[in-house]
Amino acid sequence: ETGVTQTPRHLVMGMTNKKSLKCEQHLGHNAMYWYKQSAKKPLELMFVYNFKEQTENNSVPSRFSPECPNSSHLFLHLHTLQPEDSALYLCASSSRDRAQYFGPGTRLLVL
Amino acid sequence: EDKVVQSPLSLVVHEGDTVTLNCSYEVTNFRSLLWYKQEKKAPTFLFMLTSSGIEKKSGRLSSILDKKELFSILNITATQTGDSAIYLCAGNNAGGTSYGKLTFGQGTILTVHP
């Protein structure tokens, strides 16, 4: 339960706000991921970081800006979001050739 | 584009029943197939399958992979109300790296009535 933590757990923001989501993993993993889960849609991969280097950007709009200062921390900076960006944002981490472990998520509502 | 399809989309059973959840995949550079259980929070890891025909078991849950036919099944025997959840299947595209990326299916919503 405490292997991957995310803050805040809930966030309400206006379309002109700037906010950041934080993820921290305590599992000694080398890769970290951001996913978006919208209602009635499959989990969508957004970004992948391996050893702090971004290796995947799944055509995510520039209003989402990831940052990975080290292998244990991952941020998602949000600015000028749209109401359709409201979703559950999940962070995950993994080691080489191993399963990804997820954090509890941040439920985001954009008004 | 990678694709994972799960069936059925929803399933309602009574306690004690046995259920089989299906997952078919089309994933380039396929490395592994993963199953997760999601209740009102984050998906929790169940199984990772890499080899065809080898069953993985954990208590009442088991899963098997068929790499020739590109599918996997998740079996739950003697279901309990605590098994009610969304079950997610994901294919791992190695993509030339050691970590790859997951493509998820839409999930199967399982409801177990007492």
Side-chain angles (χ1 to χ4, degrees):
Chain A
E1 187 70 33
T2 59
V4 181
T5 58
Q6 290 186 243
T7 55
R9 296 292 301 275
H10 301 272
L11 180 62
V12 180
M13 59 188 288
M15 289 190 283
T16 57
N17 291 157
K18 287 186 181 181
K19 296 284 184 185
S20 295
L21 310 185
K22 179 183 175 183
C23 175
E24 184 173 359
Q25 60 97 0
H26 310 272
L27 301 169
H29 292 163
N30 301 118
M32 297 188 77
Y33 312 79
W34 279 117
Y35 287 88
K36 176 183 178 182
Q37 189 172 36
S38 306
K40 300 191 188 295
K41 291 178 71 174
L43 265 164
E44 300 171 67
L45 179 66
M46 299 175 73
F47 302 104
V48 181
Y49 277 83
N50 293 338
F51 291 97
K52 304 187 298 178
E53 299 296 322
Q54 187 182 122
T55 57
E56 188 78 28
N57 177 339
N58 213 21
S59 303
V60 181
S62 59
R63 57 187 184 269
F64 295 91
S65 174
E67 179 190 359
C68 188
N70 55 59
S71 294
S72 299
H73 293 86
L74 185 65
F75 295 89
L76 188 63
H77 304 300
L78 316 172
H79 65 99
T80 59
L81 294 191
Q82 305 298 310
E84 61 264 28
D85 296 322
S86 299
L88 179 67
Y89 289 85
L90 290 161
C91 172
S93 69
S94 75
S95 289
R96 181 176 178 168
D97 292 336
R98 293 284 185 259
Q100 293 179 23
Y101 289 85
F102 287 83
T106 295
R107 189 159 295 281
L108 173 68
L109 177 62
V110 181
L111 300 175
Chain B
E1 188 173 323
D2 295 343
K3 188 176 176 184
V4 175
V5 177
Q6 293 185 243
S7 64
L9 293 182
S10 65
L11 192 53
V12 180
V13 300
H14 287 93
E15 272 192 320
D17 288 349
T18 293
V19 298
T20 298
L21 310 183
N22 304 294
C23 174
S24 64
Y25 64 90
E26 296 173 25
V27 174
T28 55
N29 301 308
F30 176 79
R31 181 191 294 275
S32 57
L33 191 291
L34 294 91
W35 285 96
Y36 289 85
K37 177 183 181 182
Q38 186 174 26
E39 297 169 269
K40 290 184 180 178
K41 45 186 181 175
T44 52
F45 171 68
L46 295 175
F47 299 111
M48 184 169 80
L49 304 151
T50 55
S51 301
S52 223
I54 298 177
E55 186 183 50
K56 291 219 170 177
K57 280 187 73 104
S58 177
R60 296 176 293 103
L61 277 67
S62 63
S63 184
I64 197 160
L65 175 67
D66 186 327
K67 290 169 78 171
K68 183 179 175 185
E69 300 297 329
L70 307 183
F71 79 89
S72 175
I73 61 172
L74 175 69
N75 279 319
I76 308 175
T77 59
T79 51
Q80 303 171 357
T81 54
D83 295 327
S84 297
I86 301 172
Y87 289 85
L88 300 170
C89 168
N92 189 355
N93 179 334
T97 74
S98 299
Y99 297 89
K101 60 178 186 175
L102 296 182
T103 298
F104 280 84
Q106 65 272 61
T108 293
I109 302 172
L110 174 65
T111 304
V112 182
H113 287 312

